[in-house]
Amino acid sequence: MIQNLNSGKLKISMIKKFILNKKYGLLLLLAIGILGACKDGAKEKKMVSAVGKKAIQKEKPNIVFIYADDLGYGDLGAYGATGLKTPNLDELANGGMLFTNGYASSATCTPSRYALLTGMYPWRKKASILSGSAPLIIDTAQITIPKLLRNQGYATGIVGKWHLGLGNGNVNWNQRVSPGPNEVGFDYSYIMAATQDRVPTVYIQDGNVVGLDPNDPIEISYQKNFEGEPTAIDNPELVKLKWHHGHNNSIVNGIPRIGFMKGGESAKWKDVDMADTFLKEAQDYVVKHKESPFFLYYALQQPHVPRTPHPRFVGASGMGPRGDVIVEADYVVGEFIKTLETEGLLENTLIIFSSDNGPVLNDGYYDNAVEKLGNHKPAGVLKGGKYSLFEAGTRVPFIAYWKGKIQPGKSDAMVCQMDLLPSLANLLGTEVDGMDGEQLMDTFLGKNPEGRKDLIIEATGRTALRSGDWVMIPPYDAPKYNKKVNIEIGNDKAYQLYNLKNDLGQKNNLAKVKPKKLKEMMLKFAELRGEGYQNIKQMELK
């Protein structure tokens, strides 16, 4: 310290001597001026460069996926619902592009989420509904939407339902759980591991269980219960929501779940607060990353079971808990859009809204979804529902909104959620190879009325072909109805052929009267799907 001070005094003394000398003093002042000007110029150049870089960054739109869970084609006012009020989602649809032929890849959750993020058919991976302790099914070396966008300078986050597996098959929930969302492209994650009806019933932030007390470690099993832990079968007096099928293991918040859980009391979520919890996380993410382009995958839990609306939404629909949580979902979407607007981001944000599969009423609990339905038709005019190869299994609400960039309208183009990955690549001036998804960015933006020509749809391992206006379902020697959920799932011992242009409700099987068309569809199916389509494992609902 003393040496530095002495050194400084010496420099000042030398400068004074130079200034006293007129010959050198003038030169010194000139040098100091030039040096200062250079320094100021460099600083100004650096500031201009930073501003320019920021401007270039903001030219890239923010991208948000809002993904509902088990929402039907007929559950929104914009899609024809009259008894159920969804004003915020209707406004989104009426202000953007509403797709009448928008598809999830599958009629169940895990496969659809896999296709959405990877751009690949889930049946190639043999993806099926996962347990809460299943390993991650996305290869960490695989291209995903968040990886693509992160490479383009985006912040990437997920809030809500994950259900694509965590870890490598033997998860210790009391340590950081990996691999998971953060290992497949997400910088930030705040998720539930699987579904609201499966254990563990905790939130996980960047791989760590939120609010976990290390003195009360979590144990999870999908094979057997832990000694002394209550279950719905052994302790029905503790159950507030009665189970119908499958949901009879551990009890959390009075709700029986799938799977057994012990410990982690301080970390367990409160079901009625889940929608608000995820909303706040989504809003906070937007505010935090508003200065640079971001991607947010906002995966809602509604209207999947158990349907647990916050008390302020109870009775809001008149249709029982299922209707109430759809009203709740509409509310959180509206609040989220308000945040984008408040932060001045709405005109630079591409929003995609859709659902992972079609609707189901009784999916494991007695919650009056059937009894209080009234005249409402969750699938609209479509046949089937969740788990089904008929249209209502995979044809879902599908909305693209970008204020000022997408002109309001309706499109009959056939699009699928797995088309989003290659389409977003195109939007950002790059491309990806080897995708099952197709590049349809102009279609999503409403600039092109054409969509994909063919699509293999999937339901619980079974596959069928949508090609043009036609659908062909190959023979499956299995029950036609799933009696537990009361849904016609598309099985028949004979080929089925439907013209959706004339018969959207799939009432008239034309396989026998249109043999030439059937053969054409069979050949196309064999070309796209390949061999072994009947080698499937029958799904057991739990």
Side-chain angles (χ1 to χ4, degrees):
M1 180 75 175
I2 294 173
Q3 186 178 358
N4 289 339
L5 287 172
N6 289 337
S7 176
K9 289 176 182 178
L10 179 63
K11 288 178 181 177
I12 292 170
S13 176
M14 290 173 67
I15 289 171
K16 283 181 178 178
K17 287 180 180 179
F18 272 111
I19 289 173
L20 290 173
N21 186 317
K22 292 182 180 180
K23 180 179 179 180
Y24 296 109
L26 184 62
L27 290 174
L28 178 64
L29 290 171
L30 180 63
I32 291 171
I34 292 171
L35 183 64
C38 289
K39 189 174 181 182
D40 289 343
K43 184 177 181 182
E44 184 177 345
K45 186 177 180 181
K46 188 174 181 182
M47 288 173 66
V48 170
S49 176
V51 170
K53 185 177 180 182
K54 187 174 180 180
I56 292 170
Q57 285 286 80
K58 288 310 292 181
E59 285 179 4
K60 296 179 178 179
N62 305 309
I63 299 166
V64 175
F65 292 173
I66 305 177
Y67 210 41
D69 196 355
D70 295 355
L71 189 73
Y73 189 82
D75 275 327
L76 302 184
Y79 279 84
T82 56
L84 199 53
K85 305 302 180 184
T86 54
N88 295 304
L89 287 166
D90 294 347
E91 185 175 350
L92 200 69
N94 295 331
M97 188 58 57
L98 181 152
F99 290 91
T100 62
N101 281 278
Y103 285 82
S105 70
S106 308
T108 54
C109 45
T110 297
S112 290
R113 291 163 196 273
Y114 176 87
L116 171 71
L117 292 182
T118 66
M120 300 297 292
Y121 279 124
W123 44 264
R124 296 194 191 282
K125 185 75 174 182
K126 296 184 178 178
S128 60
I129 302 173
L130 297 180
S131 73
S133 59
L136 179 68
I137 65 168
I138 298 177
D139 191 316
T140 54
Q142 194 170 354
I143 184 66
T144 62
I145 286 177
K147 276 188 183 179
L148 167 78
L149 297 178
R150 190 170 64 182
N151 290 340
Q152 293 291 319
Y154 278 71
T156 56
I158 173 175
V159 170
K161 176 178 175 176
W162 177 238
H163 210 187
L164 287 164
L166 293 169
N168 293 312
N170 187 23
V171 176
N172 182 346
W173 302 96
N174 307 293
Q175 299 177 356
R176 185 177 184 277
V177 180
S178 175
N182 301 84
E183 285 69 43
V184 297
F186 289 103
D187 301 326
Y188 178 75
S189 63
Y190 192 98
I191 62 168
M192 59 174 165
T195 56
Q196 195 178 341
D197 57 346
R198 286 174 171 82
V199 298
T201 52
V202 296
Y203 299 121
I204 302 169
Q205 184 178 37
D206 290 333
N208 297 300
V209 173
V210 177
L212 179 64
D213 180 355
N215 296 314
D216 183 26
I218 293 173
E219 295 181 69
I220 298 294
S221 174
Y222 274 78
Q223 282 73 47
K224 61 179 182 178
N225 191 25
F226 300 98
E227 186 175 353
E229 293 298 311
T231 67
I233 293 177
D234 296 333
N235 305 92
E237 73 280 1
L238 300 179
V239 172
K240 297 178 182 177
L241 180 60
K242 186 179 178 182
W243 61 279
H244 179 270
H245 60 268
H247 301 75
N248 53 25
N249 299 152
S250 288
I251 304 168
V252 180
N253 302 329
I255 302 171
R257 316 281 170 153
I258 300 172
F260 303 99
M261 178 175 180
K262 180 181 180 181
E265 290 300 321
S266 63
K268 289 178 180 177
W269 64 50
K270 292 182 179 178
D271 294 86
V272 295
D273 292 334
M274 183 174 287
D276 290 331
T277 298
F278 286 151
L279 171 61
K280 186 176 187 308
E281 281 292 325
Q283 291 172 317
D284 288 350
Y285 186 85
V286 166
V287 173
K288 183 177 180 180
H289 296 92
K290 65 182 179 181
E291 298 299 333
S292 60
F294 63 81
F295 166 58
L296 176 62
Y297 174 29
Y298 181 15
L300 311 177
Q301 87 277 14
Q302 303 105 323
H304 194 284
V305 296
R307 294 146 185 158
T308 55
H310 188 275
R312 68 184 188 276
F313 293 101
V314 172
S317 69
M319 295 182 190
R322 184 180 186 275
D324 294 347
V325 298
I326 292 175
V327 172
E328 181 181 58
D330 181 78
Y331 164 80
V332 298
V333 170
E335 292 301 297
F336 178 77
I337 300 299
K338 284 180 186 176
T339 299
L340 291 174
E341 199 163 20
T342 300
E343 299 299 332
L345 300 172
L346 197 57
E347 293 183 356
N348 193 42
T349 302
L350 170 62
I351 302 170
I352 302 292
F353 175 85
S354 197
S355 178
D356 60 350
N357 49 250
V360 58
L361 297 178
N362 182 342
D363 205 17
Y365 297 98
Y366 289 99
D367 65 359
N368 291 316
V370 176
E371 292 80 0
K372 293 190 175 183
L373 187 63
N375 295 322
H376 179 62
K377 297 179 179 179
V381 298
L382 304 181
K383 188 176 185 177
K386 185 178 181 179
Y387 312 114
S388 179
L389 275 175
F390 288 126
E391 283 295 285
T394 51
R395 193 190 291 216
V396 291
F398 203 127
I399 300 162
Y401 178 93
W402 188 353
K403 187 176 182 180
K405 293 288 175 42
I406 296 178
Q407 296 304 309
K410 286 187 179 181
S411 173
D412 294 329
M414 179 163 58
V415 295
C416 181
Q417 293 162 7
M418 67 180 175
D419 298 328
L420 289 166
L421 196 160
S423 299
L424 290 173
N426 175 267
L427 179 67
L428 298 173
T430 186
E431 59 183 25
V432 289
D433 299 320
M435 295 280 104
D436 290 315
E438 297 183 12
Q439 195 290 100
L440 298 174
M441 198 66 237
D442 281 349
T443 306
F444 289 123
L445 295 177
K447 297 177 180 179
N448 188 343
E450 301 296 321
R452 55 164 54 236
K453 303 298 183 185
D454 307 299
L455 177 66
I456 300 293
I457 56 177
E458 184 267 342
T460 64
R462 300 160 297 129
T463 47
L465 171 66
R466 166 81 196 267
S467 182
D469 292 328
W470 295 83
V471 167
M472 186 277 294
I473 304 176
Y476 291 102
D477 189 7
K480 293 184 178 184
Y481 276 87
N482 186 312
K483 293 182 180 180
K484 288 182 178 178
V485 295
N486 195 30
I487 291 175
E488 194 170 1
I489 56 177
N491 294 331
D492 198 292
K493 293 181 180 180
Y495 279 94
Q496 298 176 74
L497 180 68
Y498 301 97
N499 185 326
L500 298 177
K501 186 175 183 179
N502 302 322
D503 179 26
L504 191 53
Q506 295 176 288
K507 297 177 181 178
N508 302 310
N509 182 2
L510 302 178
K512 291 182 179 180
V513 297
K514 295 283 186 180
K516 186 176 179 181
K517 187 65 183 180
L518 176 61
K519 185 176 181 180
E520 176 190 321
M521 296 285 284
M522 289 168 63
L523 290 172
K524 175 64 71 172
F525 181 69
E527 174 192 340
L528 297 177
R529 176 65 175 86
E531 299 294 329
Y533 72 90
Q534 287 186 320
N535 297 331
I536 59 174
K537 183 180 179 181
Q538 294 298 323
M539 184 194 72
E540 180 185 356
L541 285 184
K542 296 182 178 180

